[in-house]
Amino acid sequence: MQTAKRIEKLPPYLFVGISRKIAEKRARGEDVISFAIGDPDLSTPPHVIERLCEAARDPINHRYPEIDGLPQLRRAIADWYQHRFGLTLDPNKEILPLIGSKEGIGHMSFCLIDPGDIALVPDPSYPVYSMSTILAGGEPYYLPLMEENGFLPDLGKIPSDVAAKARVLWLNYPNNPTSAVAHLDFFERAVAFAKKYELAVCHDAPYTEVAFDGYRPVSFLQALGAKDIGVEFHSLSKSYNMTGWRVGMAVGNEEMINALMRMKSNLDSGIPQAIQHAAIAAFSGPQDCIPEHNLIYQRRRDLVIEVLGKIGIEAKPPRASLYIWARIPEGYTSAGFAAKLLDEVGIVVTPGTGYGACGEGYIRISLTTPDDRLQEGLVRLEKWHGESRVWSLESPVTRGAVGGTLDH
Ligand SMILES: Cc1ncc(COP(=O)(O)O)c(C=O)c1O
């Protein structure tokens, strides 16, 4: 038996490796605290679970669902977009529910990329944009996200022959892993760039509801003309702590939504219907869980930033997302520093290079660790630094704003 060449081209998925390493340490009886994965520790709101249980008991929901989702779910998504972003979307043509946004993102590459085509992919970024490009036979062209640019790609630096060969520009704000945010003027420049080179734009936006200090992230589709060339991927995973239920959506350009529907109808059979009812309850029910959860993340964010500051690792508090993107001390690689933390204090963080070469020099710390474990992790970190002085406090790392607060 021989697997296809395209499988050989893929590196192992980042978090599979991390999870295995944690499991091995735990099997040896070591107490490992993970700040690695962006999977909310908080529960799905009770009214959503109640609706899910009720719908699971109804035999009508035991059968194959429709690929394009229940009309009531598409309507609930349209209402939510209207209410949250002031955008009007046609539930029959401009909305497609997904089995979590990850599968939609992956399948969208197959809708846009033919062998040899280029996809413009930020570096660092969520790995699915580049991996699905490669699986579709295309080639990612990486756009460096630099701290001095607020972690926004410099579209003006993309060579015109590359832009002409490109089919899609991937964007993601609030950003994973850098936690940067983008404003409408940047999205409008992205729309103009995409129109000039006849590209599609895919904006991945699962973190618009996870924001702090009163900040309210915008939708890419609010940019003038965005729907002419682009879609936005969204998810219930982070907004309503529903990572385990697998439900998200793509919204926007009708042609792109239709292509994704055609692709998916040949590969999957839609979202289990009881979960679709849970999603409707999440969108249409009380929304107070969102600010409540954000306050918890905000408190954790402040605790982590304070301790990082004390041990000489400077990181600005993010305005949105579940992550702190911190500069590591001089003299280490991201992978080396992450390995040191795991080996010496049993703390897991994600090395920045897991998201691309430009992630070198950074680690990502997730705020989804339960309060007591987070406190314990921070105590360990402070004590470890105090005892071993593995890097000098005399040269704290001060490299400006992490969190992308620049208005580009
Ligand atoms: C930027 C980004 N996009 C998409 C996803 C996938 O979310 P979902 O659970 O909807 O598949 C994640 C999950 O961590 C993410 O960070």
Side-chain angles (χ1 to χ4, degrees):
M1 194 273 294
Q2 203 180 337
T3 54
K5 291 195 178 52
R6 73 177 67 85
I7 295 298
E8 282 155 32
K9 277 193 199 166
L10 291 177
Y13 195 66
L14 173 66
F15 290 112
V16 175
I18 291 176
S19 300
R20 280 202 193 130
K21 213 161 178 189
I22 297 173
E24 280 163 21
K25 286 216 160 240
R26 286 189 177 145
R28 289 201 297 269
E30 292 176 39
D31 180 26
V32 176
I33 301 176
S34 176
F35 290 91
I37 300 176
D39 188 357
D41 59 308
L42 309 168
S43 315
T44 307
H47 70 277
V48 176
I49 297 296
E50 265 156 43
R51 185 68 193 105
L52 175 65
C53 294
E54 191 182 58
R57 279 188 217 103
D58 186 343
I60 204 164
N61 297 321
H62 297 178
R63 310 184 62 185
Y64 283 124
E66 294 295 335
I67 309 296
D68 58 351
L70 288 166
Q72 310 92 289
L73 175 56
R74 282 184 272 114
R75 168 49 59 202
I77 293 168
D79 290 347
W80 184 80
Y81 255 83
Q82 180 77 60
H83 179 254
R84 172 67 178 86
F85 299 112
L87 288 164
T88 304
L89 295 165
D90 181 339
N92 296 321
K93 295 181 182 154
E94 295 176 333
I95 293 179
L96 182 63
L98 301 170
I99 313 169
S101 60
K102 183 178 182 182
E103 67 90 351
I105 292 166
H107 287 140
M108 186 53 101
S109 287
F110 288 85
C111 301
L112 298 171
I113 295 290
D114 280 320
D117 286 345
I118 286 178
L120 302 174
V121 177
D123 175 4
S125 67
Y126 182 58
V128 185
Y129 319 138
S130 51
M131 292 309 144
S132 58
T133 302
I134 292 168
L135 282 173
E139 224 182 286
Y141 179 89
Y142 292 104
L143 312 178
L145 301 188
M146 308 309 289
E147 199 159 332
E148 59 270 23
N149 239 358
F151 296 108
L152 299 172
D154 188 343
L155 301 175
K157 284 213 173 128
I158 302 169
S160 51
D161 58 323
V162 170
K165 256 186 95 184
R167 295 284 168 266
V168 56
L169 166 65
W170 285 95
L171 297 172
N172 158 229
Y173 295 97
N175 185 257
N176 174 16
T178 69
S179 79
V181 298
H183 302 282
L184 273 187
D185 64 334
F186 170 73
F187 287 145
E188 274 161 11
R189 277 187 280 130
V191 171
F193 177 84
K195 287 192 172 181
K196 178 172 174 194
Y197 290 102
E198 298 181 8
L199 322 170
V201 176
C202 289
H203 182 241
D204 183 20
Y207 299 101
T208 63
E209 303 317 289
V210 186
F212 316 119
D213 307 315
Y215 177 66
R216 297 280 274 166
V218 293
S219 161
F220 166 71
L221 295 177
Q222 286 172 285
L224 210 62
K227 216 163 55 172
D228 302 340
I229 44 83
V231 293
E232 183 156 273
F233 289 93
H234 215 299
S235 173
L236 285 83
S237 288
K238 323 285 172 165
S239 311
Y240 301 103
N241 306 330
M242 288 176 70
T243 48
W245 302 115
R246 311 309 303 134
V247 54
M249 66 272 198
V251 306
N253 182 270
E254 182 182 335
E255 202 182 330
M256 290 169 74
I257 294 290
N258 185 42
L260 188 55
M261 224 281 279
R262 286 176 64 187
M263 170 62 62
K264 277 171 55 63
S265 63
N266 284 288
L267 292 173
D268 70 56
S269 299
I271 308 163
Q273 227 162 251
I275 292 172
Q276 296 193 49
H277 283 289
I280 296 168
F283 280 127
S284 346
Q287 300 294 304
D288 20 321
C289 58
I290 292 178
E292 281 165 17
H293 299 153
N294 286 346
L295 271 183
I296 295 171
Y297 295 133
Q298 188 176 312
R299 201 185 58 238
R300 291 176 184 173
R301 173 198 73 172
D302 293 342
L303 286 170
V304 174
I305 294 281
E306 190 190 327
V307 170
L308 289 180
K310 278 191 199 163
I311 66 172
I313 295 180
E314 215 172 87
K316 281 267 170 67
R319 298 173 84 185
S321 88
L322 291 170
Y323 310 110
I324 290 174
W325 186 237
R327 262 281 189 186
I328 57 171
E330 299 288 353
Y332 293 93
T333 62
S334 297
F337 191 69
K340 193 173 177 64
L341 281 178
L342 179 58
D343 290 339
E344 295 183 15
V345 259
I347 286 178
V348 190
V349 296
T350 326
T353 40
Y355 304 91
C358 294
E360 186 53 271
Y362 296 89
I363 49 169
R364 194 195 74 170
I365 298 170
S366 169
L367 300 173
T368 55
T369 306
D371 288 343
D372 56 336
R373 301 297 286 156
L374 180 125
Q375 295 273 10
E376 161 70 18
L378 294 179
V379 168
R380 266 189 215 180
L381 208 54
E382 225 180 319
K383 191 159 165 264
W384 173 63
H385 181 259
E387 282 167 3
S388 61
R389 293 246 157 219
V390 279
W391 63 90
S392 160
L393 267 184
E394 275 73 68
S395 55
V397 189
T398 48
R399 286 189 179 81
V402 172
T405 55
L406 299 180
D407 192 6
H408 284 278

